[in-house]
Amino acid sequence: MLRMKTADVVTGLVLCILGIAMVIGGYTMDRLEIRSIHPASIPGLVPMILGVLLAICGALLTFTSLNKSYKFDIDVDDPKMLFTALGLCLGFALVLLGWIPFAIATFIFITLASYFFRESRGETTKDKALTFAKSIAFAAIMSAAISALFRYAFLVRLP
């Protein structure tokens, strides 16, 4: 068993440091006043906002894990989940992105990830089919939402 309390404290502190670094980096980015661009549209605004949110989440994780009633252990005897996650992330980043449209790549990744990490070994074929159907529905909604967020809110051209 891995003591999650220690891992969560360290992870929370690392997230806080990373969030603060993002805020500093976003603040020190070049401004676009020369081009008469509104100050609210500075290039570092999104990284600063994300940095603040990341630092808050890191602080919450740290303080929650320092609570005396915090008791959470994870069994790492089976490395299958680690290698599955690694394979899915590498497959998404190296194989799917750039070769097929972003929304479809995201749909495939979310479908496989939600299925493999939700699936139980003792399920019947009918239960596995229902789990896969739920994974497809979840992936369709999330990939559409993620694509819309990047395209219309962040104004990012997606491949």
Side-chain angles (χ1 to χ4, degrees):
M1 292 289 182
L2 175 67
R3 289 276 152 213
M4 289 304 293
K5 184 173 188 172
T6 306
D8 285 349
V9 169
V10 171
T11 302
L13 292 174
V14 168
L15 291 176
C16 283
I17 292 168
L18 182 63
I20 292 168
M22 287 174 65
V23 170
I24 293 169
Y27 184 76
T28 58
M29 276 184 166
D30 292 335
R31 303 290 190 260
L32 301 174
E33 289 100 7
I34 293 173
R35 297 186 182 198
S36 300
I37 293 177
H38 191 274
S41 65
I42 61 173
L45 186 61
V46 172
M48 286 191 299
I49 292 170
L50 293 175
V52 167
L53 294 174
L54 189 63
I56 290 170
C57 290
L60 289 173
L61 178 62
T62 301
F63 292 128
T64 301
S65 59
L66 288 174
N67 188 354
K68 292 184 190 245
S69 64
Y70 182 85
K71 291 183 172 92
F72 181 73
D73 293 329
I74 188 167
D75 188 9
V76 291
D77 292 338
D78 184 17
K80 179 185 174 192
M81 289 181 72
L82 172 68
F83 291 115
T84 301
L86 181 66
L88 286 171
C89 290
L90 288 175
F92 179 68
L94 300 176
V95 177
L96 296 177
L97 284 181
W99 295 98
I100 60 176
F102 179 80
I104 296 171
T106 305
F107 172 78
I108 293 169
F109 173 76
I110 293 174
T111 300
L112 294 175
S114 64
Y115 176 73
F116 285 126
F117 294 121
R118 191 185 303 171
E119 175 197 10
S120 296
R121 287 182 175 80
E123 289 183 335
T124 64
T125 306
K126 182 179 178 183
D127 292 335
K128 287 183 181 185
L130 182 62
T131 300
F132 193 67
K134 287 179 183 178
S135 297
I136 289 173
F138 176 71
I141 293 167
M142 293 311 297
S143 65
I146 291 167
S147 296
L149 177 71
F150 276 97
R151 182 169 289 151
Y152 301 114
F154 297 144
L155 302 175
V156 174
R157 285 174 117 195
L158 298 173

